[in-house]
Amino acid sequence: MYIPHFIKMLIVIVLLFFNNQADCRMIVESGSKNAIMYKVIGEFIGVSSAGTHLYFCSRKDATNILKHFTDKHTINSRVLNFKLSSNEIIASFLQPQITEIFLDLTCRSGIQFLVQSFQHFNSSYRWLLWTNNYNQTIDHLNPARILVDSAVTVAVASEDETIVYDLYKMHYSTPFTVTKLKLWPATGTSINFGMPKPRNNFMGTVIKASVVARFLNYSQDNIIELMLDPSYMPGMDAKRRFHLRMFIYLAEHYNFTPSYKFARTWGIPTKNGSFIGMIGQLQRNETEISAVYTIFSVPRSAVIDYVLAVTYAKGSILFLQPKLLGTYKALVVPLQPIVWVAILVISIVTIISFKVVGRCKELWSDSTLMVVATIAQQGGPDMENLSKRLWHLAALNFAFFITLYYNIAILSGLLLPAPNAIQNMDQLLASNLKFGVETEPYIRNDAESNDELSVRLRAKMAKSKLSNKVYFDSDEGLELVRRGGFAFYNLVTDSYAKIRDKYTEAEVCSLTEIDKFSKTHIGPIVQNNGPYKELFRRSILLMKENGMIKNQFKFWVASKPECIWKQEKFTIGTRALTIAFSVLLIGLFVSGIVFILEVRNFRKKRKQVVFYSKELSLLSQKILP
């Protein structure tokens, strides 16, 4: 039968109208049934929903939630099934800092998704779990990583009401701390019960901590008490003792009991990617936090997590500035080599001139002595001819000006502080100083690295190593520095106490440090993906703000010794007079040899005189009757 086209259009419009009415009734009925769920989700999502994932057991709920929030939020709503993996919620740099997750636990696939997500309950996620069985949900959550840094809200729904809880554990070994936050009745307004409990009391829970004591004997039973006693081996392991004191304050603030595990090193990587020392203890979950601080480095960050930078470490090369005054070079350096050569040449020419002007009547020794006396400004003997006097006057004037500038150079070296001869790394490597490296593992590893500066440093050490030795402990290296002519690469901040006790004021003022690497931050570390990073960070920041860290650092760790300059009497030692003594001894030796030759010559001549005397006597007896 033929039906007009306009009638067909009318029938379609009527059918669409009744279908829309049915959908609306279905939405209203569904909304009245799950209205509380949508309200709880609305509060959970908050203002910004970037990075929000919603997982429902019902397709209808997954669709309806989009109709409620699409106009204000951009969310990812999914229907749970057994093929769905929790890998899609893994945080990455492409996602927001915190990912919000709603999970419906009223079906088996929701429980399965929960079990797969046990390691994702850290500070990067906020969870809202919807369930109708509180006890069963708590049993499922017991193995999960729900600790002090977790943000987990559980909404328990029933026919009459829905109750919202906040839950967490202070430690793996403690039960859940559960706080009732809100009640949503089926009809009426919601009731707020208050804020979640503060997460700052471990109630005496034992937390395992790593301690590094490089020089102290940690096999003693009371080593912790000894480390906290400033009168016990003062200055030894000073920084570690300061770190331990701050860790004790942290334990008191959060009311936990430390259990210590000792190590000799902070962390040395092995070929298989694992670490030994304190880093290895945290990597193997033998401890949960470090009671002492360590240097921040990229390789370590792959297996542990840094809490906060508290202080710094600095690797520098220590040495005393080379001094010429007080050494055998002090009498030579004021004049340049070319000036000494000129003086020598002029002296020889003057000796020859005196010999010529004197018409060869004088001996060479007399001319030489006259030139030496002229240079020493001691005058000379009486001279007969005018030409010799004029030449001697010119030589005296020449010697006067040379001696004047020479004495001024010596005097300025005594009165004025000389500028440092070595001021940067290039000058240091080009100097004549011998080099050594501290046996500290971090410094040793840095010296053995392949960067350009380390390669140059090793080449310098190979040419100038002391007694076929390159690595020295702290005490031995600092003693060699104090003697002079030695440069020592070490953790300089750990050496200040020893320098203050062993070096004189003059040595402290001459001490120079050139950084091989700039200040490197150090701080406590925790297990990778551990729960205590943010909690302990807040407490350490509080201690920094109220001055506790600064005061304790000054108490335990020595600061750089200051150069207190004051004018003191200057004394010349035998080393500075080496040239004078050498000239005297050489003169004594030469004069002794000449004296022996003169004695032999005198005896020989005397024998000849005696012989000729006897011959004359015999001859006279023959001639005279």
Side-chain angles (χ1 to χ4, degrees):
M1 183 181 62
Y2 172 75
I3 302 177
H5 181 69
F6 74 92
I7 296 179
K8 292 181 180 179
M9 294 295 297
L10 182 61
I11 295 173
V12 170
I13 292 173
V14 173
L15 291 174
L16 288 175
F17 173 78
F18 284 106
N19 285 335
N20 288 336
Q21 290 295 322
D23 288 342
C24 290
R25 284 195 300 272
M26 180 179 64
I27 292 173
V28 172
E29 293 174 0
S30 177
S32 60
K33 182 178 180 181
N34 294 325
I36 296 177
M37 175 191 289
Y38 301 150
K39 291 180 181 179
V40 173
I41 294 176
E43 288 190 354
F44 173 72
I45 292 177
V47 177
S48 175
S49 63
T52 300
H53 301 268
L54 309 178
Y55 298 93
F56 294 92
C57 293
S58 170
R59 184 179 301 273
K60 186 182 300 184
D61 291 335
T63 304
N64 289 341
I65 199 68
L66 293 176
K67 296 179 180 180
H68 276 75
F69 297 103
T70 301
D71 57 338
K72 296 181 181 180
H73 302 88
T74 302
I75 59 178
N76 176 26
S77 181
R78 303 287 300 275
V79 179
L80 289 165
N81 57 70
F82 291 103
K83 295 181 180 180
L84 192 63
S85 174
S86 64
N87 291 332
E88 66 177 34
I89 65 171
I90 296 177
S92 68
F93 69 94
L94 296 175
Q95 295 182 2
Q97 184 177 5
I98 297 178
T99 301
E100 299 171 336
I101 302 172
F102 169 83
L103 180 59
D104 190 351
L105 298 180
T106 58
C107 57
R108 292 177 58 190
S109 55
I111 302 297
Q112 175 183 310
F113 190 90
L114 175 67
V115 173
Q116 294 177 357
S117 308
F118 275 172
Q119 295 303 316
H120 301 320
F121 284 88
N122 54 32
S123 58
S124 298
Y125 301 90
R126 289 182 61 233
W127 289 82
L128 172 60
L129 305 178
W130 185 269
T131 181
N132 51 21
N133 191 324
Y134 174 81
N135 294 327
Q136 184 182 19
T137 301
I138 294 297
D139 292 338
H140 287 309
L141 291 177
N142 263 322
R145 183 206 173 281
I146 302 179
L147 298 164
V148 292
D149 65 334
S150 302
V152 179
T153 304
V154 178
V156 182
S158 64
E159 294 294 335
D160 301 328
E161 61 186 12
T162 298
I163 303 177
V164 179
Y165 299 92
D166 173 80
L167 60 86
Y168 64 91
K169 290 182 180 179
M170 287 299 297
H171 191 262
Y172 295 99
S173 60
T174 60
F176 280 116
T177 299
V178 182
T179 305
K180 185 184 294 186
L181 301 180
K182 201 166 190 178
L183 184 144
W184 293 86
T187 57
T189 58
S190 60
I191 301 173
N192 291 316
F193 293 105
M195 300 297 294
K197 294 181 180 179
R199 306 182 182 190
N200 56 8
N201 189 354
F202 283 87
M203 296 176 291
T205 303
V206 176
I207 292 182
K208 295 174 288 185
S210 295
V211 178
V212 175
R214 294 190 59 238
F215 305 108
L216 298 176
N217 182 13
Y218 61 75
S219 61
Q220 304 180 51
D221 295 335
N222 60 339
I223 183 60
I224 297 298
E225 289 77 7
L226 293 176
M227 288 183 69
L228 297 176
D229 183 2
S231 63
Y232 175 73
M233 300 180 69
M236 192 68 67
D237 270 323
K239 276 196 171 181
R240 266 67 67 192
R241 298 163 90 163
F242 156 66
H243 302 163
L244 182 62
R245 167 52 65 190
M246 301 315 301
F247 180 73
I248 296 296
Y249 288 154
L250 190 69
E252 293 174 353
H253 179 75
Y254 286 117
N255 189 25
F256 65 82
T257 304
S259 174
Y260 300 102
K261 186 177 181 65
F262 288 88
R264 281 293 183 189
T265 61
W266 285 268
I268 300 176
T270 60
K271 294 181 179 180
N272 61 3
S274 62
F275 283 75
I276 61 176
M278 183 179 70
I279 304 293
Q281 292 176 355
L282 288 163
Q283 185 183 19
R284 297 186 296 269
N285 296 329
E286 296 175 5
T287 56
E288 300 170 79
I289 185 175
S290 67
V292 300
Y293 305 159
T294 186
I295 294 176
F296 289 15
S297 68
V298 175
R300 292 175 176 177
S301 63
V303 296
I304 51 91
D305 204 354
Y306 292 100
V307 177
L308 181 68
V310 180
T311 57
Y312 64 88
K314 186 172 67 169
S316 302
I317 300 178
L318 284 177
F319 61 93
L320 295 182
Q321 285 288 344
K323 288 186 177 181
L324 297 177
L325 191 62
T327 67
Y328 67 92
K329 295 181 181 180
L331 300 177
V332 178
V333 169
L335 300 180
Q336 296 182 359
I338 190 172
V339 177
W340 287 110
V341 173
I343 293 174
L344 179 61
V345 171
I346 292 173
S347 299
I348 295 174
V349 172
T350 305
I351 292 172
I352 298 174
S353 301
F354 283 167
K355 181 70 175 177
V356 173
V357 172
R359 298 182 179 87
C360 299
K361 295 180 180 179
E362 295 182 354
L363 299 176
W364 287 104
S365 59
D366 295 336
S367 299
T368 303
L369 287 174
M370 188 178 298
V371 170
V372 173
T374 300
I375 294 175
Q377 297 290 290
Q378 297 299 317
D382 294 334
M383 302 174 188
E384 299 177 357
N385 50 359
L386 181 60
S387 59
K388 188 174 182 180
R389 291 179 182 177
L390 293 174
W391 179 242
H392 186 254
L393 180 62
L396 278 174
N397 288 327
F398 168 77
F400 169 75
F401 287 108
I402 293 294
T403 306
L404 177 65
Y405 285 113
Y406 181 83
N407 291 335
I408 290 175
I410 294 293
L411 188 61
S412 64
L414 290 173
L415 298 180
L416 300 178
N420 291 337
I422 301 175
Q423 300 180 356
N424 54 52
M425 187 63 70
D426 292 332
Q427 294 176 346
L428 178 60
L429 294 176
S431 67
N432 295 324
L433 298 177
K434 297 184 180 298
F435 276 73
V437 177
E438 188 181 8
T439 53
E440 160 64 40
Y442 185 82
I443 292 295
R444 185 164 184 166
N445 291 338
D446 181 75
E448 294 175 353
S449 59
N450 292 323
D451 61 277
E452 180 185 0
L453 187 56
S454 297
V455 172
R456 293 173 59 192
L457 181 62
R458 289 198 301 273
K460 180 67 175 179
M461 288 190 297
K463 295 179 181 179
S464 63
K465 53 187 178 181
L466 188 65
S467 303
N468 295 324
K469 188 176 181 181
V470 175
Y471 298 101
F472 303 85
D473 59 38
S474 180
D475 293 332
E476 186 180 6
L478 292 176
E479 177 60 25
L480 291 173
V481 170
R482 193 186 66 82
R483 295 177 184 176
F486 183 77
F488 187 46
Y489 178 35
N490 69 336
L491 279 176
V492 64
T493 50
D494 292 344
S495 304
Y496 289 152
K498 299 174 183 178
I499 292 172
R500 184 182 57 190
D501 296 338
K502 297 180 180 180
Y503 283 42
T504 63
E505 289 293 339
E507 290 168 346
V508 169
C509 292
S510 177
L511 188 66
T512 304
E513 57 183 62
I514 295 180
D515 297 344
K516 184 179 181 296
F517 60 85
S518 57
K519 293 180 180 179
T520 302
H521 293 295
I522 62 175
I525 55 177
V526 293
Q527 292 177 355
N528 204 5
N529 194 31
Y532 308 122
K533 176 180 178 179
E534 187 61 31
L535 184 71
F536 292 161
R537 184 204 299 267
R538 291 197 295 267
S539 179
I540 293 174
L541 282 174
L542 178 62
M543 288 188 286
K544 290 185 72 172
E545 290 174 358
N546 61 26
M548 290 179 62
I549 290 180
K550 183 179 180 179
N551 292 335
Q552 287 297 315
F553 186 85
K554 289 183 177 180
F555 178 80
W556 288 100
V557 183
S559 59
K560 182 179 180 179
E562 295 183 3
C563 173
I564 305 175
W565 187 87
K566 57 183 178 180
Q567 189 172 1
E568 297 178 349
K569 63 177 182 179
F570 180 79
T571 58
I572 298 292
T574 56
R575 186 178 180 185
L577 300 175
T578 302
I579 294 180
F581 287 122
S582 300
V583 171
L584 178 63
L585 292 175
I586 292 173
L588 180 62
F589 177 73
V590 173
S591 62
I593 294 177
V594 172
F595 175 74
I596 293 173
L597 295 176
E598 290 178 344
V599 170
R600 291 180 63 183
N601 187 42
F602 174 76
R603 289 178 178 178
K604 184 177 180 180
K605 288 183 178 180
R606 189 176 64 177
K607 288 181 180 180
Q608 290 178 354
V609 171
V610 171
F611 175 75
Y612 288 136
S613 298
K614 290 181 179 180
E615 291 292 328
L616 290 173
S617 177
L618 293 176
L619 182 61
S620 62
Q621 290 177 0
K622 292 181 180 180
I623 296 175
L624 297 175

